[in-house]
Amino acid sequence: MDTPIPIHVSLRGVNRVYESKLGRTHALGPIDIDLRRGEFFAVVGPSGCGKSTLLDVIAALAPPSSGEVTFEGQPIGNTVPNGVGVVFQENASFPWLNVADNITFGLRRQPLDKAEIEKRLQYALQLMGLQDFAQAYPSQLSGGMRQRVCIARTLVMQPRLILLDEPFGALDQQTRLLMGDELLRIWRATGATVLLITHALDEAAMLADRVAVMSARPGRILEVIETGWPRERDSQIVSAPEFGQITARLWTLLRAQSMQALAPGSV
Amino acid sequence: MRIVLYRLLAVVLPLALLEILCRNQIIKPLTLPAPSRIVLGLWAMIENGTFNAAIVKTLTNVALAFGLSVVVGIAAGAALHRARLLRTLLEPLFATYYAIPIYAFYPLFLIVFGLGDAPQVLIGFMLAVVSMIVSTLSGLDSLPPVLAKTPRVFQLGPVETIRRVTLPYAAPYLFTGVKLAIAYAFIGVIGAEFIMSSTGLGYEIRFAYDNLDNNVMYPLILLILLISVTVNMSLDRWDRALQARRGRV
């Protein structure tokens, strides 16, 4: 008999509607999903479908207009809950701090002693391959390195839920694949639940345990696909026959939605 | 090193030329004494302490005008950044502000504030504060949305957000404002002393001019030049050092 998989994050009837100069926009919903504790969950969808809004709602950065989000059984309020880390697509490193100070930004305001902070810093530097750059400033780093700094800054907080909003969107294809490998390693090493928002089908198919496909705006979940990958995996699975099938299935679902999103008069 | 040499030459050569012209009476001493004599005059002045009171008075007023404009400018800039409507209302004023000959209001300040230091400080402040407001606004405007979101992810409150993210981010912009503010404070205060005042370096220069006293007037002008150039150059150095730390240079 299967033991029930514990639910980590749960969304029930979540909608997000916002007012702007152009009037009311129904950006998202209704959405009902459950993220299992420790799983790697990816969300793909056509551009403008509200993927990032979904992440903002789960992170409590934007309140849902209706519905409820719970994290570890508790409804979230209007501040980012403890144990949640967020990595954005844009470079969010602080240009006035060096890499080490960037990484310990959140740690330094926690009641931790120096040795513990140093330990976590060294671990994060090691994990993200930044050992030689601890004293460098973000402007001296490449885009991929800066994103590593942001990921490291999130990891040292030891989040139980990591939200990634197209974290590799600004990187080139090779770097993306390698960063994907690193993300898998981090996911296994930390045991955290990961929610990855992406527009790249191959990225979702390669990294995630489950991939949710969203519709054009207002974004709803069309289907959730189980990839069935073993926990120990890396970017080499792109040559597995299942990878092609999963990507093809994702594209079939997305194609119609993307065309709808691009159709004149829809924006 | 070569660039330092060229810079030095750019200052020294014209001075040497001026020195020769003055010594040969091509430029009459009544128009301009030889540069060497101006320097010696200034040296004697500082040694005798003739104008110490005037120097202290001017520097104090400049410091007051500058300090006030920085504090008020940053606070007003931060407030306007939030008050969209008021900002829209005031922005045309900021854009045309430096076209207003502020000295035209000096008689009004005299009537309202009397003959003390207040009118000088006020003019220095009025000239300086707007550059500080504008720099603060452009610093806050340039904060990328993602850096505005990040403090929330780390659960920073509003005060901590300003102290640990907004201010450090805007620092280079604020620094530009500070450099302008100090220059404007000098211009405002000394200019005001020139027109209607009975103390300060500006007043002493005008007094010497009225009495055709070139041996006082030119050394004082040189002194003002030296002070403002030194202050601005040190600020510039500091700014560069800070920028270099961010690896922007």
Side-chain angles (χ1 to χ4, degrees):
Chain A
M1 197 185 93
D2 283 350
T3 46
I5 303 156
I7 299 303
H8 204 187
V9 180
S10 169
L11 283 79
R12 287 286 167 271
V14 167
N15 281 284
R16 168 104 175 133
V17 180
Y18 62 87
E19 306 275 344
S20 71
K21 279 178 191 159
L22 300 168
R24 269 166 67 90
T25 308
H26 189 182
L28 188 70
I31 293 218
D32 295 270
I33 41 168
D34 291 318
L35 305 193
R36 303 164 188 158
R37 189 179 283 272
E39 81 171 324
F40 198 129
F41 193 92
V43 176
V44 295
S47 58
C49 75
K51 301 189 289 284
S52 294
T53 309
L54 175 65
L55 179 135
D56 282 355
V57 167
I58 295 175
L61 290 167
S65 309
S66 63
E68 193 181 43
V69 183
T70 57
F71 170 61
E72 300 179 345
Q74 300 293 318
I76 60 159
N78 40 29
T79 53
V80 181
N82 275 317
V84 175
V86 188
V87 178
F88 299 105
Q89 176 180 2
E90 304 89 349
N91 168 30
S93 61
F94 299 123
W96 61 94
L97 297 176
N98 65 23
V99 167
D101 290 339
N102 256 292
I103 293 176
T104 56
F105 178 84
L107 278 187
R108 276 178 282 135
R109 50 193 300 283
Q110 302 250 322
L112 295 168
D113 57 51
K114 277 210 167 113
E116 174 65 18
I117 293 179
E118 185 61 25
K119 204 182 91 193
R120 290 202 200 175
L121 168 66
Q122 291 306 328
Y123 176 74
L125 287 171
Q126 194 83 31
L127 194 67
M128 301 309 299
L130 290 164
Q131 304 96 311
D132 299 335
F133 300 95
Q135 301 307 314
Y137 284 86
S139 59
Q140 298 163 308
L141 303 177
S142 67
M145 296 285 262
R146 266 181 237 152
Q147 200 55 289
R148 282 169 210 231
V149 172
C150 293
I151 295 172
R153 188 175 66 189
T154 304
L155 287 182
V156 291
M157 304 300 286
Q158 303 183 338
R160 301 181 294 282
L161 172 65
I162 304 173
L163 306 173
L164 302 147
D165 189 3
E166 306 209 21
F168 313 137
L171 307 180
D172 60 82
Q173 184 68 20
Q174 292 94 305
T175 313
R176 289 170 72 128
L177 283 173
L178 293 175
M179 290 290 279
D181 276 339
E182 289 186 28
L183 198 55
L184 285 171
R185 271 197 301 123
I186 292 162
W187 167 63
R188 280 194 297 268
T190 60
T193 308
V194 171
L195 173 73
L196 172 74
I197 306 281
T198 179
H199 60 258
L201 302 182
D202 52 345
E203 202 169 88
M206 161 186 136
L207 296 173
D209 294 318
R210 292 194 296 158
V211 183
V213 180
M214 279 178 79
S215 68
R217 198 168 63 201
R220 281 161 287 111
I221 306 280
L222 287 177
E223 194 167 325
V224 178
I225 295 172
E226 300 255 3
T227 59
W229 301 124
R231 193 170 169 86
E232 296 290 330
R233 57 182 183 256
D234 60 31
S235 57
Q236 291 183 41
I237 57 176
V238 296
S239 54
E242 297 93 324
F243 177 79
Q245 290 162 15
I246 295 164
T247 317
R249 175 89 188 107
L250 291 175
W251 179 232
T252 311
L253 282 165
L254 262 180
R255 191 168 175 271
Q257 297 299 325
S258 299
M259 281 166 71
Q260 194 181 322
L262 285 175
S266 73
V267 181
Chain B
M1 266 348 263
R2 176 157 285 191
I3 192 82
V4 178
L5 182 74
Y6 288 155
R7 278 184 194 155
L8 221 62
L9 283 178
V11 179
V12 170
L13 284 180
L15 276 178
L17 182 68
L18 215 55
E19 183 81 26
I20 293 166
L21 291 174
C22 290
R23 296 228 170 199
N24 292 310
Q25 299 283 324
I26 298 167
I27 298 176
K28 300 273 180 290
L30 207 62
T31 313
L32 179 76
S36 58
R37 294 196 51 155
I38 299 177
V39 174
L40 286 175
L42 177 60
W43 185 249
M45 238 175 230
I46 290 167
E47 250 185 355
N48 298 334
T50 336
F51 293 102
N52 279 3
I55 294 170
V56 169
K57 170 69 71 189
T58 298
L59 291 185
T60 313
N61 286 348
V62 168
L64 270 173
F66 166 70
L68 269 175
S69 67
V70 169
V71 174
V72 174
I74 291 178
L80 279 178
H81 185 68
R82 294 184 155 241
R84 288 227 146 269
L85 187 68
L86 193 62
R87 178 178 178 176
T88 321
L89 226 72
L90 287 177
E91 222 139 39
L93 172 69
F94 295 151
T96 53
Y97 189 79
Y98 286 107
I100 302 169
I102 214 151
Y103 291 106
F105 296 106
Y106 194 70
L108 180 70
F109 294 155
L110 273 186
I111 293 164
V112 177
F113 295 101
L115 263 174
D117 296 331
Q120 281 89 278
V121 174
L122 197 67
I123 283 194
F125 167 76
M126 284 183 68
L127 271 176
V129 73
V130 170
S131 73
M132 205 61 229
I133 294 175
V134 171
S135 312
T136 307
L137 280 173
S138 68
L140 294 178
D141 285 349
S142 67
L143 184 77
V146 69
L147 285 193
K149 254 192 205 176
T150 303
R152 295 180 57 198
V153 174
F154 287 94
Q155 303 173 323
L156 268 62
V159 176
E160 245 193 318
T161 300
I162 290 172
R163 197 172 60 79
R164 291 192 62 197
V165 177
T166 320
L167 270 184
Y169 181 84
Y173 297 88
L174 297 184
F175 213 101
T176 307
V178 164
K179 281 196 284 186
L180 284 171
I182 206 153
Y184 279 126
F186 267 106
I187 293 170
V189 168
I190 292 174
E193 285 171 350
F194 247 93
I195 311 172
M196 265 181 261
S197 171
S198 51
T199 49
L201 285 175
Y203 164 77
E204 298 293 353
I205 291 173
R206 197 187 67 138
F207 190 80
Y209 169 78
D210 287 343
N211 293 302
L212 299 172
D213 193 354
N214 277 0
N215 294 327
V216 170
M217 186 176 87
Y218 280 108
L220 284 179
I221 292 176
L222 177 64
L223 178 65
I224 289 176
L225 258 175
L226 287 177
I227 293 173
S228 50
V229 167
T230 311
V231 168
N232 262 297
M233 272 175 73
S234 355
L235 279 176
D236 205 51
R237 286 238 147 167
W238 192 25
D239 191 17
R240 272 166 201 271
L242 288 177
Q243 299 270 9
R245 261 193 56 200
R246 289 189 178 200
R248 283 226 183 130
V249 177

